[in-house]
Amino acid sequence: MAGAAAPKRQDTRKFFENLSGAGKSIAVLTSGGDAQGMNGAVRAVVRMGIYVGAKVYFIHEGYQGMVDGGDNIKEATWESVSSMLQVGGTVIGSARCKEFRNHEGRLKAAHNLVQRGITNLCVIGGDGSLTGANLFREEWSGLLDELLQQGLIDEEASRRNSELHIVGMVGSIDNDFCGTDMTIGTDSALHRIIEVVDAIMTTAQSHQRTFVLEVMGRHCGYLALVSALACGADWVFIPEMPPEDGWEDSMCQKLSENRADKKRLNIIIVAEGAIDSHNKAITPDYIKELVVRCLGFDTRVTILGHVQRGGTPSAFDRILASRMGVEAVLALLEASTNTPACVVSLVGNQAVRLPLMECVQMTQEVQKAMDEKKFEEAVRLRGRSFENNLSTYRLLSHRKADSELPNSSFNVAVLNVGAPAAGMNAAVRSAVRVGITEGHKMFAVSDGFEGFYKGQIKEIKWGDVGGWTGQGGSLLGTKRTLPGKHLDKIAEQIRIHNINALLVIGGFEGYLGLLELSSARDKYSELCVPMVMVPATVSNNIPGSDLSIGSDTALNAITDTCDRIKQSASGTKRRVFIIETMGGYCGYLATVGGLAAGADTVYIYEEPFDIRDLQANVEHLTQKMKTSIQRGLVLRNENCNENFTTDFVYQLYTEEGRGVFDCRKNILGHMQQGGAPSPFDRNFSTKISAKAMQWITRTLKDSFKGGRVFANSEDTACLLGMRRRALVFQPVSQLRDETDFVHRIPKEQWWLKLRPLMKILAKYKTSYDVSDSGQLEHVTRVRPKESNTSATI
């Protein structure tokens, strides 16, 4: 894999080379309902396990296969997980197993594991599957004693297999497991739902229709809630938030108001477990009958059912599953006698390990709270991510009458800057609606800073942003122009329109523009207003934020295209594809896209490479082609090296691979920017933009003195970014030192830590720093009050 020698690091770091799997056997199984991304997790466990020298086994058909033994437990090879990453469901099969619930069944399972020397178990499933695994572990020594007494194993086997270590990963489309922000499969299920909603919206608008959609979630309303946020639904029903008595009238009134506002369609989303405050089920048919009876609207019901479990996993789920699978193997290698069974979770942008039973107990507490009708408690126990989704939905969905709004008399302008990014429109919609709810007058600026100095500024109202969440590009228009040369005209426009605060949604030019505006405050008093930026760029190259709006959509575009390109070679001779991605000098799209698409090599600017690296990569692919794997995938970031161009790399591989494989090249170009935003980008942009507007409201109040707004301290010109586990407001002036302005990238980038992981999964020897990876933590129950500067998404 391309890469110069790594710089010497301090000795405090811990590398997994010291963690050997030699002599260990790991088994991986998928259990319970299937979820897209399970195969990515299985692939990562198998390849990481083999990489560290362990034997890895598939257990087919979940716990049933463990009980039945025989051919259900097979040793896995490197090649046996090839081409698995893009397949939905679970290739090794899943089944409900009654036998494993009985002692006899677990005894048979233990015997089958001991016969193969398997003492490390990686379970991918829901809370039921993980609880079963924990019980199995607790009973393990007793089961061994029984097998010994029955003469089925000898003393030596009992001693050698005396400890069973278990690590869980949660595969569930419902996202109903406490302790993790996202479970494997949830994001893909949202993709299926949003694809359907987007398709329905076009037909519904043709006929002025109301659609009632039922989505999965018998006990958890996450899918319903997030899809309602992502499509701007009129109403949502979830088990955690039963509507108050009289909801029928309120809902019909809202639908009728929306129709009077020239809205041609209404969308109502219902979780399959939705109930009213008397524990009575709320069904799609009941809602349809109600709407037809009270309003006479043409109404249709769509039940999504198993569509949500199907299809190819999203880029997010492939990356999540790959990260979790590698982390699970590390956790098994580090496990000792006293280590409790743990589950690998995602908090913010970090993989963490949590005690399995703490998470299971908390998940069970949610159900208990709901049974006791303590719904607010249930929402709190679901975790901060769920709470924030719910509060954002409430903030955006209920339009107050003008008489109910606070009158702030502040004017807030919103603009898009830089290249278009999917999710920008959802961010504008969220900002406009939250701003109006908080009593501000909202102004839209067309064409970025260029439109600003030309005076293309007009008031934007609640109804003007209807239906914006699902639209790609930038409806306001966006330009790369910087404000520096036009500061006097911009100051004049701020004065003319009496703009009191500024929200910039954009990429690197937006960040540079905010730096220029805040630096000119001494010269222009008009610029002494609160300013905040929300990062939106496919390149994900903004300092101060791990993630930018638009990059998830771009990753999905890259992943989908790589899947199709790889598939085009099936049935042909051995073939290697060289694919160029966008990103300027930032290698995020190439690296993370490479991880999601299962690339063999990824060339980026941040990791210099030379001709020897290119030669080594070609040789590596030549060796691979001698196995049963017939395809290779090489990604190249557009600006990774000025001399080793995509053409050069293509020609080099073609020449060196002659007689072994042939090559094709593909430049993805602007396709990566286009299309409807992914559910993640819709949701992320909606929440981060709402958070930015709430900051603007607070800062306006704090800086309003003597009848005018005056804000010139550095903490009144901020960037709101996702940092590890939280959303943080950071003064742009403080981010200067973190920026490489020449190459328009942050000096430190978190995703570079994913590169060794990608290399391992492509069978390269590499150093993998695990000092940052999961120390066992505990599930937090009572959380401190949120500070003004940070909040978890």
Side-chain angles (χ1 to χ4, degrees):
M1 177 73 76
K8 283 207 168 79
R9 295 186 174 105
Q10 298 164 350
D11 292 334
T12 53
R13 300 221 178 181
K14 180 173 72 166
F15 291 92
F16 85 125
E17 285 86 329
N18 315 331
L19 296 169
S20 168
K24 295 190 176 182
S25 292
I26 299 170
V28 58
L29 73 138
T30 53
S31 173
D34 65 320
Q36 308 96 316
M38 279 182 164
N39 290 323
V42 169
R43 171 181 176 267
V45 170
V46 168
R47 291 199 165 172
M48 186 66 173
I50 292 171
Y51 186 91
V52 297
K55 262 188 172 180
V56 188
Y57 291 87
F58 291 135
I59 299 179
H60 291 273
E61 309 306 332
Y63 287 120
Q64 191 66 55
M66 204 196 293
V67 173
D68 295 344
D71 278 350
N72 287 305
I73 305 176
K74 276 191 190 142
E75 192 174 345
T77 64
W78 192 275
E79 286 86 31
S80 62
V81 291
S82 176
S83 297
M84 208 176 179
L85 192 56
Q86 63 267 35
V87 181
T90 164
V91 170
I92 59 173
S94 180
R96 311 270 180 206
C97 177
K98 279 187 182 166
E99 265 185 283
F100 191 76
R101 292 181 183 168
N102 305 326
H103 184 78
E104 281 308 305
R106 292 194 290 275
L107 190 66
K108 279 188 202 169
H111 186 212
N112 287 326
L113 294 189
V114 171
Q115 280 179 315
R116 294 162 179 81
I118 297 168
T119 54
N120 295 283
L121 208 51
C122 187
V123 180
I124 307 160
D127 60 341
S129 309
L130 299 180
T131 308
N134 193 63
L135 175 65
F136 190 45
R137 179 178 177 272
E138 284 172 354
E139 290 182 350
W140 184 253
S141 59
L143 293 170
L144 291 188
D145 291 345
E146 271 186 71
L147 291 169
L148 193 60
Q149 282 162 12
Q150 291 174 20
L152 291 169
I153 61 170
D154 58 21
E155 293 264 356
E156 169 58 20
S158 174
R159 190 186 55 74
R160 214 175 39 243
N161 299 289
S162 61
E163 284 177 20
L164 179 69
H165 299 299
I166 282 177
V167 173
M169 285 181 268
V170 192
S172 159
I173 66 165
D174 292 337
N175 204 25
D176 55 355
F177 193 79
C178 293
T180 185
D181 286 355
M182 285 294 260
T183 56
I184 294 167
T186 305
D187 187 68
S188 301
L190 284 170
H191 272 257
R192 298 299 90 79
I193 294 168
I194 294 304
E195 281 160 16
V196 171
V197 173
D198 284 355
I200 278 175
M201 278 179 148
T202 52
T203 170
Q205 281 185 320
S206 308
H207 296 277
Q208 288 205 352
R209 276 193 179 139
T210 298
F211 267 87
V212 185
L213 253 80
E214 184 185 272
V215 301
M216 280 184 168
R218 198 164 300 135
H219 305 294
C220 177
Y222 184 89
L223 287 179
L225 178 58
V226 174
S227 48
L229 256 182
C231 73
D234 297 87
W235 206 271
V236 67
F237 293 96
I238 59 172
E240 295 87 346
M241 185 184 69
E244 292 169 6
D245 289 351
W247 63 267
E248 291 94 339
D249 294 340
S250 311
M251 185 186 78
C252 288
Q253 188 186 343
K254 183 173 183 198
L255 296 180
S256 132
E257 281 170 7
N258 283 352
R259 198 55 73 86
D261 269 355
K262 309 259 186 319
K263 190 174 177 188
R264 293 181 62 84
L265 80 154
N266 305 110
I267 300 265
I268 298 163
I269 293 182
V270 193
E272 60 182 340
I275 48 170
D276 65 14
S277 52
H278 306 289
N279 255 18
K280 190 168 159 265
I282 296 175
T283 65
D285 287 332
Y286 176 69
I287 295 166
K288 174 187 172 174
E289 190 259 327
L290 178 75
V291 174
V292 171
R293 190 179 73 239
C294 298
L295 300 171
F297 288 176
D298 186 0
T299 306
R300 298 283 191 275
V301 169
T302 302
I303 294 172
L304 266 61
H306 279 71
V307 164
Q308 296 156 86
R309 286 195 188 281
T312 180
S314 66
F316 184 96
D317 271 330
R318 297 182 196 197
I319 295 151
L320 177 67
S322 301
R323 286 175 74 179
M324 283 186 166
V326 168
E327 185 70 36
V329 172
L330 292 176
L332 285 171
L333 293 182
E334 290 175 5
S336 65
T337 315
N338 309 323
T339 317
C342 78
V343 62
V344 180
S345 298
L346 181 81
V347 180
N349 194 26
Q350 270 194 302
V352 297
R353 298 177 199 168
L354 297 167
L356 176 64
M357 287 322 287
E358 281 187 24
C359 297
V360 168
Q361 277 160 355
M362 193 130 152
T363 305
Q364 288 164 350
E365 276 179 39
V366 174
Q367 196 52 51
K368 188 166 167 255
M370 283 166 65
D371 292 343
E372 293 171 2
K373 297 193 178 181
K374 297 178 179 167
F375 295 107
E376 284 188 14
E377 172 76 356
V379 168
R380 194 180 65 76
L381 287 166
R382 278 260 182 254
R384 215 182 248 177
S385 172
F386 191 93
E387 267 186 302
N388 276 336
N389 281 315
L390 189 53
S391 59
T392 309
Y393 179 78
R394 282 173 171 157
L395 200 61
L396 290 168
S397 63
H398 296 297
R399 180 178 181 178
K400 293 177 182 170
D402 291 346
S403 56
E404 291 174 41
L405 292 174
N407 185 7
S408 74
S409 71
F410 292 127
N411 296 339
V412 180
V414 58
L415 66 158
N416 293 154
V417 179
M424 275 182 164
N425 298 321
V428 172
R429 170 187 177 269
S430 175
V432 167
R433 293 198 167 175
V434 172
I436 290 170
T437 304
E438 310 229 312
H440 311 317
K441 220 182 212 184
M442 298 300 295
F443 286 84
V445 181
S446 301
D447 297 341
F449 289 118
E450 190 172 308
F452 208 146
Y453 79 78
K454 288 179 177 171
Q456 296 169 346
I457 303 166
K458 62 175 198 294
E459 190 180 350
I460 186 164
K461 300 245 171 75
W462 185 280
D464 298 337
V465 290
W468 278 33
T469 41
Q471 302 218 33
S474 162
L475 292 169
L476 289 186
T478 180
K479 291 265 173 80
R480 293 178 181 271
T481 316
L482 291 174
K485 293 177 184 167
H486 312 284
L487 288 168
D488 49 346
K489 287 182 182 167
I490 287 174
E492 186 188 351
Q493 290 299 334
I494 289 177
R495 191 167 60 251
I496 291 169
H497 292 91
N498 189 24
I499 303 291
N500 306 113
L502 207 53
L503 171 62
V504 175
I505 300 160
F508 205 84
E509 289 87 359
Y511 165 63
L512 292 176
L514 214 54
L515 276 172
E516 289 181 359
L517 292 179
S518 58
S519 303
R521 278 171 162 178
D522 294 346
K523 197 171 170 193
Y524 301 96
S525 63
E526 293 87 349
L527 299 177
C528 296
V529 294
M531 307 175 190
V532 64
M533 173 179 164
V534 169
T537 164
V538 298
S539 304
N540 197 27
N541 61 336
I542 308 293
S545 192
D546 290 357
L547 298 170
S548 299
I549 294 165
S551 58
D552 183 73
T553 305
L555 279 178
N556 278 292
I558 291 167
T559 309
D560 290 349
T561 311
C562 288
D563 285 356
R564 286 177 190 181
I565 287 171
K566 277 162 81 177
Q567 194 179 28
S568 73
S570 61
T572 61
K573 54 190 175 178
R574 297 183 170 93
R575 186 161 282 173
V576 173
F577 294 96
I578 319 283
I579 297 175
E580 180 183 295
T581 64
M582 275 182 154
Y585 285 96
C586 179
Y588 175 81
L589 286 181
T591 296
V592 184
L595 185 59
D600 295 281
T601 309
V602 175
Y603 298 112
I604 60 168
Y605 164 76
E606 291 90 342
E607 200 172 279
F609 58 97
D610 58 24
I611 195 72
R612 287 181 296 277
D613 295 308
L614 287 163
Q615 182 63 35
N617 298 150
V618 175
E619 284 166 12
H620 186 271
L621 267 174
T622 309
Q623 289 305 311
K624 175 184 168 179
M625 293 292 177
K626 288 175 184 169
T627 68
S628 59
I629 304 172
Q630 309 264 303
R631 284 168 299 186
L633 184 64
V634 174
L635 265 58
R636 179 190 172 276
N637 162 255
E638 58 185 353
N639 288 354
C640 64
N641 186 299
E642 60 183 335
N643 294 316
F644 298 143
T645 60
T646 302
D647 276 338
F648 177 90
V649 174
Y650 164 68
Q651 285 163 356
L652 176 84
Y653 273 73
T654 302
E655 181 59 37
E656 296 295 318
R658 201 182 290 279
V660 183
F661 57 81
D662 66 358
C663 285
R664 295 286 183 274
K665 68 170 177 182
N666 210 299
I667 293 171
L668 299 185
H670 280 73
M671 196 194 70
Q672 295 157 83
Q673 274 184 346
S678 66
F680 182 91
D681 274 331
R682 297 183 196 199
N683 191 18
F684 180 55
S685 57
T686 299
K687 285 196 288 192
I688 194 171
S689 192
K691 204 63 88 181
M693 278 308 303
Q694 289 170 322
W695 176 89
I696 281 178
T697 301
R698 283 196 304 272
T699 314
L700 279 169
K701 284 176 184 163
D702 294 346
S703 53
F704 186 70
K705 293 179 184 75
R708 61 166 292 203
V709 172
F710 187 80
N712 70 342
S713 57
E714 63 173 17
D715 64 352
T716 56
C718 280
L719 178 134
L720 173 55
M722 171 81 173
R723 283 232 147 145
R724 291 165 79 88
R725 300 191 187 186
L727 281 173
V728 189
F729 290 95
Q730 305 141 99
V732 283
S733 55
Q734 289 178 16
L735 293 173
R736 276 180 195 275
D737 294 343
E738 295 181 26
T739 311
D740 170 353
F741 286 100
V742 176
H743 298 100
R744 298 159 60 92
I745 52 175
K747 288 177 182 169
E748 298 238 334
Q749 308 198 73
W750 68 273
W751 51 265
L752 285 169
K753 285 188 176 159
L754 297 180
R755 281 186 70 78
L757 190 133
M758 185 183 62
K759 293 175 188 180
I760 288 164
L761 296 177
K763 216 173 184 175
Y764 281 89
K765 288 285 174 207
T766 185
S767 267
Y768 186 37
D769 172 18
V770 295
S771 51
D772 195 33
S773 79
Q775 298 307 307
L776 196 66
E777 300 184 14
H778 290 283
V779 180
T780 45
R781 283 164 190 278
V782 183
R783 294 187 306 277
K785 272 255 185 272
E786 235 176 56
S787 72
N788 277 354
T789 55
S790 78
T792 310
I793 68 164

